[in-house]
Amino acid sequence: MRYRQTFIPTLREDPTEAEVISHKLLLRAGMMRQVARGVYDFLPLGLRVVRKVENIVREEMNRAGAQEILMPAVCPAELWQESGRWDVYGRELLRIKDRHDRDFCFGPTHEEVVTDIVRREVRSYRDLPLNLYQIQTKFRDEVRPRFGLMRGREFIMKDAYSFHTDLEDCQREYRNMYDAYRRIFDRCGLTYRPVEADTGAIGGSLSHEFQVLADSGEDALVSCDSCDYAANVEKAELVPPAAPLATHGAALTPVETPDQRTIEEVSIFLGEPPERFVKTLLYETDTGAVVAALVRGDHELSEPKLKNLLGCQWVALAAEETVHKATGAPTGFAGPLQIEARLISDQTLRGATGLVCGANERDTHLTGLDIARDLPSLQFADLRRAAVGDTCPRCERGRFTAHRGIEVGQTFYLGTKYSQAMNATYLDASGAQRPMEMGCYGIGITRTVAAAIEQHHDDAGIVWPKPLAPADLHIVPVNWNDATTRKAAEDIYAELQQTGTDVLFDDREERPGVKFKDADLLGVPLRATIGGKSLARGVIELKVRADGAMTEVPADRAVEAIQNALSNSEAT
Ligand code: ATP
Ligand code: MG
């Protein structure tokens, strides 16, 4: 690949619209451009990286026995109406009409379309299992598209769907996909963790997110410091405390707390530590219910846990008006006694005494709350978000540590949700008709590209993991106008091309400084610098992008030395 013939519009300055490093560097390295909010062009080098990820994914999916298909990007509304998602998917679904005024959507995911294929063609248990996947452009009209490829509106996803006769076989395939995902992200050269994920109302532990670890990640994770349990903080299971909070043995007493609303404010005002407080959080749900969720003052509520417990589509903090109706007081003074809402408490509060809570009255709190005495019929559940130092639910020995992650993939057991709604059945060996069990497995191809940069960059630019780099080697002839340099560089380039090495050959008449800067920015793992002075000494210089290590190698054995360096793990 000759630089002059390749469209690489690099930028000297940081583009102002970019908030995260991957977005900045992809724009600066001339690998992509924005067309509309969350919608991008991929330019030649950027597309090469996208293709590298796709190929790794494709090879491993095929190896795992899945079969590639291609479904339409534009999907008829009828299928989405059958599954019921046309009405519940909300505004992320880009809805469009054709010239006959018929409804379509631009697919954000393809459960409906693939289930339709399978229900029409598969009749018998003999035709199962089946795992079909595609690599395709998706559209999700995200409320806040941001961070470049990390959260776009249009993006490329690999989505696979598997169909089975029974749960056992579905679990076997789930494992198979889980293993394939590990191979994929290992091969991409990324540091990641598979974490247990929120499974929505279905429950169970059959969902994992594959999280690339990076400080800029949107997801908060915890992992055990002594076993391999890891989970999203919202989902991580928590064990109930060994003993409830020690008692003060006090009676319920109203205290004046003028204008002190938050736990921090009241805590300072009353001189009680936050863990002695009960936070009463009022939520509204899609079914119109009002729920008061109680958590300890120093804990955070996990909304997904609450949502799953209630079995509803969504929960949202109640509006001021609803709070007033349920408590008779403004926001900031809600408490569990005499509240008009369903009460649910986090398990940590079971049996606790001597607590402080809101009094459902302006400028007033109650001290001396005894959960068992004052709220005898309270329901308890695991409702709080995990935090650093919490005990691991698996080994019950280790403690949680925290990480930030970028979700690059997710595996999911779907059960018969779609097959039942859309009548995807098969005849079992005894001739009975049964719904198929399903799993689905997604990988964000373009998000993986961004995640690789978030994890692998330095001040000078991108430092591609070797398997994803747009080229294996970047050749920089220092002075293009020097005939000896040019000839030596051209010879090496020609010979490497014959061996199938992917080379970016900087044949521009630019100043050396400009070429080196661009090379660092583009992040190709190995650079070969060919200069007149070193040639005169019979050597060229190799530099590893990742650690800056430089070596001189004999010019007449350059190709061999380059090939050795490329197969050497230091360049990865
Ligand atoms: P998120 O929670 O980040 O919104 P999701 O859980 O809704 O993602 P899935 O439905 O699991 O996403 O989609 C599979 C994969 O597609 C995700 O793991 C992610 O890598 C990718 N993906 C999802 N939404 C986007 C997006 N807006 N931009 C880029 N990639 C995305
Ligand atoms: Mg997901």
Side-chain angles (χ1 to χ4, degrees):
M1 184 172 27
R2 286 177 179 270
Y3 205 121
R4 265 197 290 175
Q5 287 164 12
T6 313
F7 183 43
I8 314 173
T10 57
L11 307 172
R12 286 283 153 258
E13 304 296 324
D14 268 348
T16 48
E17 75 264 33
E19 297 156 285
V20 294
I21 203 78
S22 60
H23 191 190
K24 267 182 206 157
L25 290 175
L26 282 162
L27 292 172
R28 279 195 50 206
M31 296 191 180
M32 72 173 206
R33 286 292 182 263
Q34 180 171 315
V35 183
R37 266 168 62 91
V39 179
Y40 299 94
D41 294 313
F42 289 98
L43 302 185
L45 291 191
L47 185 61
R48 277 176 161 250
V49 180
V50 169
R51 294 283 183 253
K52 294 252 166 127
V53 177
E54 285 179 359
N55 287 339
I56 292 173
V57 169
R58 184 174 279 121
E59 279 177 26
E60 292 302 333
M61 289 301 290
N62 292 347
R63 190 198 307 267
Q67 301 174 60
E68 185 169 6
I69 61 170
L70 186 57
M71 291 181 266
V74 174
C75 311
E78 288 78 19
L79 292 177
W80 281 70
Q81 281 154 353
E82 264 191 78
S83 73
R85 284 209 292 184
W86 184 257
D87 295 321
V88 300
Y89 206 88
R91 299 183 64 189
E92 259 185 41
L93 189 64
L94 181 66
R95 295 157 212 258
I96 37 193
K97 281 191 191 289
D98 73 2
R99 65 171 77 203
H100 306 293
D101 218 28
R102 286 198 195 101
D103 286 317
F104 287 83
C105 65
F106 198 108
T109 174
H110 279 72
E111 283 83 357
E112 284 81 357
V113 182
V114 77
T115 304
D116 179 54
I117 300 176
V118 172
R119 72 174 168 186
R120 284 190 282 155
E121 312 306 331
V122 170
R123 290 276 154 270
S124 146
Y125 68 96
R126 288 189 201 90
D127 307 324
L128 295 171
L130 196 58
N131 186 339
L132 302 174
Y133 78 96
Q134 64 175 345
I135 295 177
Q136 200 212 29
T137 299
K138 296 279 189 274
F139 196 97
R140 293 183 183 179
D141 205 353
E142 300 268 356
V143 212
R144 287 207 292 158
R146 58 198 172 138
F147 306 153
L149 296 186
M150 298 250 266
R151 186 166 296 285
R153 293 198 293 169
E154 190 179 288
F155 57 95
I156 302 173
M157 198 205 283
K158 184 284 297 178
D159 44 329
Y161 307 88
S162 70
F163 296 83
H164 309 269
T165 53
D166 53 36
L167 173 61
E168 240 167 48
D169 193 54
C170 194
Q171 282 171 330
R172 175 204 50 75
E173 185 63 12
Y174 185 90
R175 258 282 140 202
N176 181 36
M177 284 292 105
Y178 180 94
D179 293 342
Y181 273 38
R182 294 211 70 140
R183 286 197 298 273
I184 287 168
F185 295 115
D186 283 342
R187 278 187 60 187
C188 286
L190 299 171
T191 304
Y192 67 96
R193 289 295 291 251
V195 306
E196 291 192 11
D198 179 28
T199 45
I202 298 173
S205 62
L206 276 188
S207 180
H208 289 86
E209 287 167 356
F210 287 73
Q211 296 273 359
V212 166
L213 303 184
D215 294 339
S216 55
E218 283 189 282
D219 292 329
L221 321 171
V222 285
S223 68
C224 176
D225 61 11
S226 105
C227 74
D228 63 2
Y229 181 79
N232 195 302
V233 275
E234 303 285 1
K235 142 93 195 181
E237 293 161 37
L238 298 170
V239 285
L245 268 186
T247 177
H248 282 190
L252 262 183
T253 316
V255 288
E256 270 186 43
T257 49
D259 260 342
Q260 313 291 310
R261 291 160 194 265
T262 65
I263 299 283
E264 294 74 41
E265 286 167 354
V266 189
S267 162
I268 293 168
F269 188 78
L270 295 179
E272 287 278 359
E275 67 259 28
R276 299 221 70 94
F277 281 71
V278 173
K279 243 192 280 192
T280 305
L281 299 162
L282 276 151
Y283 277 91
E284 292 174 286
T285 76
D286 57 313
T287 57
V290 178
V291 176
L294 311 183
V295 288
R296 218 168 73 177
D298 58 334
H299 290 160
E300 299 295 329
L301 180 94
S302 158
E303 292 185 358
K305 283 184 182 176
L306 180 64
K307 182 183 75 123
N308 292 344
L309 183 80
L310 298 171
C312 54
Q313 296 282 344
W314 53 259
V315 296
L317 272 175
E320 176 80 47
E321 203 185 305
T322 314
V323 174
H324 201 274
K325 230 170 118 190
T327 68
T331 306
F333 302 98
L337 299 169
Q338 279 127 34
I339 191 167
E340 284 184 36
R342 175 174 167 196
L343 273 182
I344 303 177
S345 170
D346 177 55
Q347 59 189 6
T348 318
L349 288 170
R350 193 194 291 268
T353 59
L355 303 170
V356 184
C357 64
N360 294 326
E361 197 184 317
R362 180 186 280 276
D363 297 345
T364 314
H365 280 76
L366 295 172
T367 60
L369 176 74
D370 178 326
I371 295 281
R373 180 192 67 198
D374 303 327
L375 296 161
S377 54
L378 190 57
Q379 181 194 347
F380 297 95
D382 174 10
L383 281 185
R384 74 181 172 90
R385 190 186 291 166
V388 172
D390 280 338
T391 307
C392 172
R394 285 291 173 279
C395 67
E396 299 195 5
R397 271 184 306 118
R399 300 279 168 162
F400 282 161
T401 55
H403 313 271
R404 306 287 311 173
I406 301 166
E407 180 199 320
V408 287
Q410 182 162 19
T411 49
F412 219 110
Y413 165 64
L414 289 174
T416 55
K417 178 174 170 190
Y418 294 93
S419 53
Q420 265 177 339
M422 297 182 65
N423 207 22
T425 58
Y426 71 95
L427 294 176
D428 70 12
S430 67
Q433 204 159 41
R434 298 176 53 181
M436 297 175 203
E437 288 279 342
M438 288 174 63
C440 75
Y441 321 91
I443 289 182
I445 302 283
T446 42
R447 190 184 277 180
T448 300
V449 171
I453 299 175
E454 293 294 331
Q455 202 174 64
H456 299 273
H457 66 268
D458 61 18
D459 290 344
I462 305 172
V463 185
W464 289 112
K466 201 165 130 194
L468 306 188
D472 303 322
L473 175 75
H474 194 144
I475 298 183
V476 179
V478 177
N479 180 0
W480 187 250
N481 292 322
D482 172 48
T484 322
T485 302
R486 205 165 58 220
K487 163 95 175 43
E490 288 279 11
D491 287 350
I492 293 171
Y493 176 55
E495 204 177 323
L496 280 167
Q497 280 209 303
Q498 305 223 319
T499 67
T501 309
D502 213 348
V503 183
L504 176 59
F505 183 43
D506 196 343
D507 56 353
R508 296 176 299 168
E509 289 176 31
E510 288 285 358
R511 282 179 293 117
V514 170
K515 291 184 172 187
F516 293 145
K517 262 205 156 75
D518 280 335
D520 281 346
L521 178 61
L522 298 180
V524 172
L526 187 68
R527 188 179 90 194
T529 309
I530 301 168
K533 280 190 206 135
S534 33
L535 271 185
R537 288 191 291 118
V539 295
I540 68 161
E541 183 187 87
L542 297 186
K543 183 177 176 195
V544 176
R545 176 68 184 87
D547 60 7
M550 293 214 227
T551 44
E552 289 191 331
V553 299
D556 56 357
R557 292 213 310 276
V559 169
E560 192 190 327
I562 286 166
Q563 284 175 325
N564 283 340
L566 284 175
S567 49
N568 179 338
S569 60
E570 272 165 20
T572 59

